[in-house]
């Protein structure tokens, strides 16, 4: 009691005591408050009580002077009811005639314990976050492999190649006018009249790289390795559609606006002189067909 | 030691006697104790090696030209892609079975143009700023997509609601320590669910470019290098995110490029400078994905039927074996 405290409390060593900068804590599992005080040290008080919980049930532990000689029977355990108010009453009736401090602290501790038990039960119902440990070696390995794969992929080149492929395979239809393509189209297109019409219209426009193609449906050419049968069918139908073109002449203003959207202006300007030269060549075949 | 340091270098002002080189004595450069001299000797040794190599190359080239047509073909360097272990599930473009499968799997309605994709993008609980911004950018990249906050809802309960509201795809971006690191892509009317590990996410402002944001046009889709059956199904999943009719006016293209089991996603704007040249400019976020598992039905971690899981012990044994 008094002697014990004068030994352990401040002067000599207590293995349960943990000191921090501002406070001392008591690690004893029967401690009521968790602090290392004269009034809350289970070793230094011969009459002591705590509330502890085990597997979701709360027990009241009591220690009295009479049993101080029998360490095995020192702590007496009383099961508290699950009902909150009833348990409080049980604490009261068990700790009747005990000092106020211990009674009060026991009830406080019991309250806190029940609250955290409720929270545990609520949380387990919600989704649990599963923590998967990262393995450092594996992470490093994967990062390295990713970098190497990135270098090996040469993404820009691959994308450019794919886009040029699509251009060659005519998935873009008539939007982009390049000399060779225009010639091919001029030769291949069956409907001469529509072609001459379109040429005439094109002559009026100064620059018409992008026409309004909303009315046309283009097949999204997917993975060239897929070579979907469905898509192949659709490609053919779309090429038929191309021949029955309905073009809407875009004014230069709106067109320049759409050009304004694009970030690259240099190459766009470079395009125009190319196109102007084009038209002179194009009219020849059409006039030829007309004459014929 | 005396034999080694023939021309004493002084302060490394190399003696003009580099031509009259005094190798090969039987010493090695590492025997000189003086660091400066040793360094100098080493540099000279290196120069000599380089010269020899160059000479060898020239000689070989001369021999090639001398032989002309009879020259042996150039040796192709071995790359990992060359040495890749042949995967028996590689799709042959003319495979009928594959074509039949694809005509009847869950993506058939999409590829037959019966359904228009509508996508729901969401995150895990309590997303941090980076993830939120990434979701927004992703929503601008993928047309017809909506971002909704999660607020602690269970996925299993969201899914029936999504189906009721006609969504075709669900994307969940998982976050850890304030960066997105996982992606769950689920095709909704009980389609396959793919779980990816996402890495090296770059938001739009972190990409070095001076362009503007992606417009509302429907982008084109490029799917590169999806060769095996598994890769095929994943590729179709990605394709099903985008509407079938790209608007070529927009000149935007979204690329999913598979390389050694890593899928790189990029979003570019292209412009054809001439017939043979195209310029691309990167806009939009970029990220890389690595497939972790593919499930048959919608997202269900406990009872789902897994079509493919990445098992590290079995699948990572060879450096030249890839699954996608």
């Amino acid at each position: 009691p008094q002697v014990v405290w004068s030994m352990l409390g401040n002067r000599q060593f207590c293995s349960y005591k943990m000191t921090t900068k501002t406070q001392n804590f008591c690690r004893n599992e029967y401690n009521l408050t968790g602090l290392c005080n004269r009034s809350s040290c289970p070793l230094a008080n011969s009459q002591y009580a705590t509330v502890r919980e085990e597997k979701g049930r709360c027990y009241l532990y009591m220690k009295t002077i009479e049993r101080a000689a029998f360490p095995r029977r020192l702590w007496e355990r009383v099961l508290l009811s699950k009902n909150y108010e009833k348990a409080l009453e049980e604490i009261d009736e068990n700790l009747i005639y005990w000092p106020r401090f211990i009674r009060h602290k026991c009830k406080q501790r019991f309250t806190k314990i029940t609250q955290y038990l409720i929270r545990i039960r609520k949380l387990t119902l919600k989704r649990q976050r599963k923590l998967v440990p990262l393995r450092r070696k594996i992470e490093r390995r994967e990062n390295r492999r990713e970098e190497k794969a990135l270098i090996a992929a040469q993404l820009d080149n691959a994308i450019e190649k794919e886009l040029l492929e699509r251009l060659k395979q005519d998935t873009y239809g008539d939007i982009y006018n390049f000399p060779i393509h225009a010639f091919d189209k001029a030769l291949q297109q069956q409907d001469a009249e529509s072609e001459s019409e379109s040429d005439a219209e094109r002559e009026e426009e100064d620059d018409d790289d992008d026409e309004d193609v909303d009315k046309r449906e283009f097949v999204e050419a997917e993975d060239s390795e897929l070579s979907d049968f469905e898509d192949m069918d659709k490609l053919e139908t779309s090429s038929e559609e191309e021949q029955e073109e309905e073009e809407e002449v875009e004014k230069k203003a709106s067109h320049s606006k759409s050009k304004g959207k694009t970030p690259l202006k240099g190459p766009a300007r470079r395009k125009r002189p190319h196109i102007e030269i084009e038209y002179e060549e194009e009219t020849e075949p059409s006039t030829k067909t007309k004459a014929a | 030691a005396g034999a080694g340091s023939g021309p004493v270098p002084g302060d490394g002002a190399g003696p003009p006697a580099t031509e009259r080189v005094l190798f090969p004595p039987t010493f090695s450069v590492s025997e000189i104790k003086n660091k400066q001299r040793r360094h100098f000797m080493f540099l000279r040794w290196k120069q000599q090696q380089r010269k020899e190599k160059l000479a060898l190359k020239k000689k070989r080239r001369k021999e090639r030209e001398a032989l002309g047509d009879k020259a042996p073909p150039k040796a192709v360097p071995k790359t990992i892609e060359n040495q890749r272990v042949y995967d028996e599930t590689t799709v042959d473009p003319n495979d009928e079975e594959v074509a039949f499968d694809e005509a009847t799997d869950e993506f058939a309605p999409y590829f037959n143009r019966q359904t228009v994709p509508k996508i729901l993008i969401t995150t895990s609980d309590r997303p941090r700023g980076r993830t939120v911004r990434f979701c927004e950018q992703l929503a601008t990249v993928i047309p017809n997509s909506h971002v909704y906050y999660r607020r602690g809802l269970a996925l299993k309960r969201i899914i029936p609601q999504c189906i009721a509201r006609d969504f075709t795809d669900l994307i969940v971006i998982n976050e850890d320590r304030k960066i997105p690191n996982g992606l769950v892509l689920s095709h909704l009317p009980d389609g396959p669910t793919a779980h990816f590990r996402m890495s090296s996410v770059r938001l739009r402002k972190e990409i070095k470019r001076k362009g503007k944001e992606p417009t509302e046009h429907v982008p084109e889709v490029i799917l590169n290098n999806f060769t095996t059956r598994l890769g095929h199904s994943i590729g179709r999943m990605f394709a099903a995110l985008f509407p079938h009719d790209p608007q070529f006016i927009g000149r935007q293209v979204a690329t999913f490029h598979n390389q050694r089991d890593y899928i790189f996603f990029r979003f570019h704007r292209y412009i054809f400078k001439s017939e043979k040249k195209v310029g691309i400019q990167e806009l939009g976020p970029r990220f890389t994905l690595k497939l972790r598992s593919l499930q048959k039905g919608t997202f269900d971690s406990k009872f789902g039927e897994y079509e493919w899981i990445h098992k590290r012990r079995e699948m990572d044994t060879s450096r030249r074996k890839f699954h996608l």
Side-chain angles (χ1 to χ4, degrees), chain B residues 42 109 223:
Chain B
F42 178 71
L223 298 162

Side-chain angles (χ1 to χ4, degrees), chain B residues 194-246:
Chain B
H195 176 41
F196 297 93
R197 178 190 118 110
M198 185 154 65
S199 45
S200 71
V201 174
R202 303 273 174 267
L203 298 181
R204 212 171 272 148
K205 61 179 181 179
E206 294 163 8
I207 301 180
K208 297 178 192 151
R209 47 134 198 122
K210 294 172 207 128
K212 303 189 188 159
E213 284 110 33
T215 55
E216 287 294 322
H217 296 113
V218 172
E220 290 177 50
V221 177
I222 294 183
L223 298 162
N224 264 344
N225 245 341
F226 287 95
T227 46
T228 61
R229 284 299 289 272
L230 181 64
H232 242 53
S233 37
I234 302 280
R236 301 184 89 223
M237 274 188 90
F238 285 131
L241 290 179
F242 294 89
H244 227 254
D245 310 316

Side-chain angles (χ1 to χ4, degrees), chain A residues 127 129 132 134-135 138-139 141-143 145-146 148-164 166-168 171-172 175-176 178-181 210-214 217-231 234 258-264 267-268 270-271 274, chain B residues 81 93 95 99 102-103 110-113 124-125 150 152-155 175 197 199-200 211-212 215 217 220-227 232 236 239 242-249 251 253 255 257 259-260 262 264 266 268-281 288 290 310 312 316 319:
Chain A
R127 294 158 322 134
R129 186 161 284 216
V132 175
L134 284 182
R135 297 213 177 108
I138 295 180
E139 290 293 309
R141 203 208 304 164
E142 306 229 315
N143 288 341
R145 285 202 185 158
E146 188 185 320
K148 299 222 159 184
L150 184 63
I151 297 174
Q154 295 178 347
L155 284 171
D156 292 340
N157 291 351
I159 299 179
E160 289 174 8
K161 252 201 295 183
E162 177 70 27
L163 288 172
L164 287 172
R166 289 193 187 176
L167 184 68
K168 269 201 211 133
T171 43
Y172 300 134
I175 316 180
Y176 299 105
F178 295 120
I180 305 180
H181 270 233
D210 303 338
E211 294 155 351
D212 195 347
V213 292
D214 283 338
E217 279 197 340
F218 286 97
V219 176
E220 167 199 335
E222 290 170 39
D223 188 8
S224 47
E225 292 169 338
L226 273 182
S227 69
D228 283 353
F229 295 78
E230 323 136 349
D231 276 350
K234 304 236 168 102
S258 71
K259 273 283 181 214
K261 264 194 232 163
T262 68
L264 309 167
R270 241 192 288 143
K271 253 193 187 169
H274 282 281
Chain B
E81 280 79 25
D95 203 348
E102 290 182 355
Y110 166 76
F111 283 112
N112 294 335
R113 317 253 184 134
S124 52
D125 280 343
R150 186 74 166 286
L153 302 167
L155 268 185
E175 187 198 345
R197 178 190 118 110
S199 45
S200 71
K212 303 189 188 159
T215 55
H217 296 113
E220 290 177 50
V221 177
I222 294 183
L223 298 162
N224 264 344
N225 245 341
F226 287 95
T227 46
H232 242 53
R236 301 184 89 223
F242 294 89
H244 227 254
D245 310 316
Q247 295 170 317
F248 297 115
I249 319 180
R251 285 191 280 127
V253 57
T255 309
H257 180 102
Q259 183 86 10
R260 303 185 195 171
Y262 288 95
F264 298 101
R266 302 281 184 274
H268 292 278
R269 185 171 272 148
Y270 62 88
I271 188 163
F272 283 106
K273 297 183 200 163
S274 77
E275 168 122 327
K276 304 283 181 197
K277 263 187 24 163
V278 60
I280 52 174
Q281 195 192 50
T288 65
K290 186 161 199 270
H310 178 76
R312 190 173 53 89
D316 267 353
R319 266 187 231 196

Side-chain angles (χ1 to χ4, degrees), chain A residues 123-285:
Chain A
L123 276 184
T124 51
L125 287 180
K126 283 195 176 179
R127 294 158 322 134
Q128 302 273 37
R129 186 161 284 216
K130 183 173 176 194
L131 296 174
V132 175
L134 284 182
R135 297 213 177 108
R136 204 174 311 179
K137 205 175 186 183
I138 295 180
E139 290 293 309
R140 257 193 280 158
R141 203 208 304 164
E142 306 229 315
N143 288 341
R144 190 93 181 105
R145 285 202 185 158
E146 188 185 320
E147 286 168 15
K148 299 222 159 184
L150 184 63
I151 297 174
Q154 295 178 347
L155 284 171
D156 292 340
N157 291 351
I159 299 179
E160 289 174 8
K161 252 201 295 183
E162 177 70 27
L163 288 172
L164 287 172
E165 275 282 322
R166 289 193 187 176
L167 184 68
K168 269 201 211 133
Q169 288 174 2
D170 241 2
T171 43
Y172 300 134
D174 273 336
I175 316 180
Y176 299 105
N177 304 318
F178 295 120
I180 305 180
H181 270 233
F183 258 129
D184 284 347
K185 265 181 235 134
L187 294 173
Q188 285 170 14
Q189 267 190 348
Q190 300 163 5
D191 207 342
E193 278 188 2
S194 66
E195 195 212 358
S196 60
E197 269 182 54
S198 59
D199 282 344
E201 285 177 351
R202 274 187 216 155
E203 278 182 317
E204 293 167 7
E205 298 174 57
D206 285 340
D207 44 347
D208 52 334
D209 293 339
D210 303 338
E211 294 155 351
D212 195 347
V213 292
D214 283 338
K215 302 214 170 178
R216 276 186 250 160
E217 279 197 340
F218 286 97
V219 176
E220 167 199 335
E222 290 170 39
D223 188 8
S224 47
E225 292 169 338
L226 273 182
S227 69
D228 283 353
F229 295 78
E230 323 136 349
D231 276 350
M232 291 301 270
D233 292 337
K234 304 236 168 102
L235 255 183
E236 285 164 12
T237 54
S238 70
S239 62
E240 285 168 4
E241 284 178 68
E242 276 175 48
Q243 289 158 8
E244 316 156 331
E245 309 168 335
E246 348 168 34
E247 291 173 18
E248 295 177 359
V249 178
E250 257 191 279
K251 293 182 194 160
K252 193 179 180 187
S254 62
H255 182 68
S256 56
K257 221 199 295 172
S258 71
K259 273 283 181 214
K261 264 194 232 163
T262 68
L264 309 167
K265 286 193 185 156
R269 269 188 229 118
R270 241 192 288 143
K271 253 193 187 169
R272 285 180 210 162
H274 282 281
I275 292 169
E276 287 165 8
I277 302 172
E278 230 180 71
Y279 290 130
E280 294 165 24
E281 295 171 344
E282 261 188 351
T283 48
E284 283 177 49

Side-chain angles (χ1 to χ4, degrees), chain B residues 8-9 14 30 33 35 42 59 98 109 115 120 129 132 138 162 166 174 178 184 204 211 236-237 254 270 301 311:
Chain B
V8 175
S30 49
K33 299 287 186 176
K35 184 166 178 175
F42 178 71
K59 203 175 77 164
V98 173
T115 53
L120 179 70
V132 168
L138 203 60
C162 285
D166 243 358
N174 188 46
K178 306 179 196 170
V184 175
R204 212 171 272 148
R236 301 184 89 223
M237 274 188 90
Y270 62 88
S301 46
K311 297 197 187 112

